[in-house]
């Protein structure tokens, strides 16, 4: 889904009080598990690639140089895989890329070139949206660069996600585990600054990953407390300052959704969260499936020939990658179905 169709999906989520899971995909079995989960839940799905995930999609045998070519091509390959299959699953699928810091802008440029090329041929961008994360820069510079890119993206109906403040924890090589606690909570003025910078460029074509104590990764209960009312304050502040009728003038994105309670998730949705990122929990479910398979079939996995049924029995049907990866997939489908439940998004397409 791109352009107006994409906005219609987000508005449907906001109007019906649910959010869409966004899963970091690094290989086709994970992509397919996402599509399978979306079909099972009868709900939209956001498939996203990080910079490292894109490079992995391209194959680690290709070195990802400073021009980010391997990461770009891996993301493009992943997107084409999704586009070839999505319609057979019968659910709306959104294609997105995750965090892009200033150092990774060549990756972003390469992705936009791929979108522009695709747009010239098909009248829509290859990806529905991209994230630009310049939260490590000053908010002024963050918004200046973001507005420049949004203008270029709006010309091809591509949507932009930006980040302000800091998502705690560690993901894809970015470590914020020692962040200043104050930076983990966005102020209403900062959220309004994003609105002022981006809405005039392309009204409604952007979302905000604001910091409300969210953390990448799953840790034992710690110092940071998830505080969804920060999002409510931001919406109310924009409504008041801009004299708007709507209670939720901006789309919010929830990063670091893994390990969050259903109560906190539902509260955040109530304040305009329409997308929740899940990475760590699906990494675990994928591994958990393999772990249980290996434990269950241990005696059939020690050599190509010979198992408890006889010394000459072949083990091919046990070590075939489709056997153990299928367990990884089904565990991931189950984990994502639980995410749809948390996000109040089961059977969303019937709402
Ligand atoms: Zn994130």
């Amino acid at each position: 889904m791109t352009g107006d169709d994409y906005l219609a999906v987000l508005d449907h989520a906001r109007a019906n009080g649910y959010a869409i899971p966004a899963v970091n995909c690094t290989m086709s079995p994970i992509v397919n598990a996402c599509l399978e989960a979306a079909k099972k839940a009868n709900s939209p799905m956001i498939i996203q690639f990080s910079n490292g995930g894109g490079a992995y999609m391209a194959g680690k045998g290709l070195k990802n140089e400073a021009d980010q070519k391997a990461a770009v091509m891996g993301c493009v390959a992943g997107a084409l895989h999704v586009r070839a299959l999505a319609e057979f699953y019968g659910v709306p699928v959104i294609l997105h890329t995750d965090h892009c810091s200033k150092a990774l802008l060549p990756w972003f440029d390469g992705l936009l070139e791929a979108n522009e090329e695709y747009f010239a041929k098909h009248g829509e961008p290859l990806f529905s949206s991209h994230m630009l994360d310049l939260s490590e820069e000053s908010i002024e510079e963050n918004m200046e660069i973001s507005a420049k890119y949004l203008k270029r993206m709006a010309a091809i109906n591509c949507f932009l996600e930006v980040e302000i403040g800091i998502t705690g924890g560690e993901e894809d090589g970015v470590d914020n585990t020692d962040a200043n606690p104050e930076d983990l909570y966005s102020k209403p003025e900062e959220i309004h600054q994003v609105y002022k910078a981006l809405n005039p460029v392309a009204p409604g074509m952007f979302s905000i990953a604001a910091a409300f104590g969210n953390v990448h990764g799953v840790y034992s209960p710690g110092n940071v407390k998830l505080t969804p009312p920060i999002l409510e304050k931001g919406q109310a502040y924009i409504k008041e300052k801009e004299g708007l009728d709507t209670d939720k003038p901006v789309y919010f994105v929830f990063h670091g959704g893994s390990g969050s309670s259903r109560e906190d998730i539902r509260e955040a949705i109530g304040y305009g969260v329409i997308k929740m990122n899940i990475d760590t929990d699906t990494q675990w479910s994928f591994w958990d499936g393999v772990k249980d398979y290996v434990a269950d079939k241990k005696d059939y996995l020690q050599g190509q020939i010979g198992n408890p049924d006889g010394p000459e029995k072949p083990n091919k049907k046990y070590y075939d990658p489709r056997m153990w990866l299928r367990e990884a997939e089904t565990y991931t489908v189950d984990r994502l179905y639980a995410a749809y439940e948390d996000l109040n998004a089961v059977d969303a397409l019937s709402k």
Side-chain angles (χ1 to χ4, degrees):
M1 315 298 288
T2 61
D4 288 343
D5 294 338
Y6 175 45
L7 291 179
V9 173
L10 298 187
D11 287 339
H12 186 263
R14 187 161 59 181
N16 289 283
Y18 69 92
I20 307 164
V23 183
N24 283 45
C25 294
T26 51
M27 60 189 79
S28 64
I30 300 178
V31 168
N32 295 347
C34 289
L35 295 171
E36 183 176 345
K39 184 180 167 69
K40 190 176 167 191
N42 190 35
S43 200
M45 167 58 72
I46 300 172
I47 288 176
Q48 64 187 21
F49 303 102
S50 67
N51 177 265
Y56 192 88
M57 286 292 300
K60 292 302 274 183
L62 289 177
K63 197 165 183 290
N64 193 32
E65 310 278 358
D67 63 3
Q68 297 293 330
K69 191 79 179 163
V72 172
M73 294 323 296
C75 291
V76 167
L80 292 173
H81 173 91
V82 172
R83 278 189 171 274
L85 294 173
E87 69 175 299
F88 296 107
Y89 285 84
V91 289
V93 179
I94 290 155
L95 273 165
H96 180 74
T97 56
D98 206 8
H99 297 269
C100 176
S101 64
K102 199 173 175 184
L104 294 179
L105 285 176
W107 175 49
F108 207 83
D109 290 326
L111 291 167
L112 291 195
E113 277 163 32
N115 281 321
E116 285 159 353
E117 212 173 286
Y118 197 89
F119 186 88
K121 285 186 198 140
H122 306 279
E124 65 170 333
L126 177 59
F127 285 87
S128 321
S129 54
H130 297 285
M131 181 191 196
L132 201 50
D133 176 5
L134 303 172
S135 58
E136 285 177 52
E137 318 307 323
S138 70
I139 190 155
E140 289 76 22
E141 187 181 3
N142 181 348
M143 287 304 110
E144 189 189 324
I145 300 174
S146 296
K148 193 185 82 186
Y149 274 109
L150 178 58
K151 192 174 176 205
R152 179 175 170 191
M153 294 167 76
I156 51 168
N157 295 327
C158 203
F159 182 100
L160 177 66
E161 177 183 323
V162 297
E163 175 159 328
I164 52 170
I166 288 176
T167 305
E170 192 268 334
E171 184 179 67
D172 210 38
V174 178
D175 190 349
N176 287 328
T177 43
D178 292 329
N180 177 1
E182 195 182 292
D183 295 334
L184 299 172
Y185 301 98
S186 296
K187 296 175 185 67
E189 293 84 356
E190 293 166 336
I191 298 169
H192 184 220
Q193 240 174 305
V194 178
Y195 182 89
K196 281 193 292 185
L198 301 185
N199 206 58
V201 178
M205 280 297 276
F206 62 94
S207 59
I208 307 172
F212 59 106
N214 38 330
V215 171
H216 284 138
V218 173
Y219 305 92
S220 339
N223 319 324
V224 181
K225 193 176 170 348
L226 202 63
T227 314
I230 282 185
L231 305 177
E232 183 186 32
K233 283 187 192 133
Q235 298 279 28
Y237 190 84
I238 295 172
K239 182 184 177 182
E240 189 207 319
K241 291 286 169 188
E242 300 288 329
L244 304 172
D245 294 332
T246 169
D247 286 333
K248 295 172 199 167
V250 293
Y251 301 115
F252 281 123
V253 175
F254 186 165
H255 278 249
S258 292
S260 303
S261 75
R262 178 173 295 186
E263 193 186 13
D264 282 341
I265 292 169
R266 295 272 175 100
E267 188 183 359
I269 290 170
Y271 305 143
V273 164
I274 42 74
K275 168 181 185 267
M276 186 176 86
N277 290 7
I278 307 168
D279 183 16
T280 312
D281 279 356
T282 45
Q283 289 180 334
W284 172 255
S285 64
F286 202 79
W287 164 245
D288 200 24
V290 176
K291 177 172 70 69
D292 285 357
Y293 179 85
V294 172
D296 186 38
K297 301 286 191 297
K298 184 173 163 286
D299 295 337
Y300 296 79
L301 296 169
Q302 302 309 315
Q304 284 188 286
I305 297 165
N307 60 44
D309 303 333
E312 287 172 5
K313 297 282 184 194
N315 291 322
K316 181 174 162 55
K317 68 178 174 190
Y318 298 101
Y319 61 77
D320 181 330
R322 288 170 293 183
M323 297 304 293
W324 49 274
L325 278 172
R326 182 60 190 151
E327 289 302 295
E329 289 167 3
T330 55
Y331 276 53
T332 301
V333 169
D334 290 347
R335 177 63 188 86
L336 288 174
Y337 193 86
Y340 277 111
E341 290 176 325
D342 288 341
L343 293 165
N344 193 31
V346 172
D347 211 21
L349 296 178
S350 304
K351 288 183 183 180

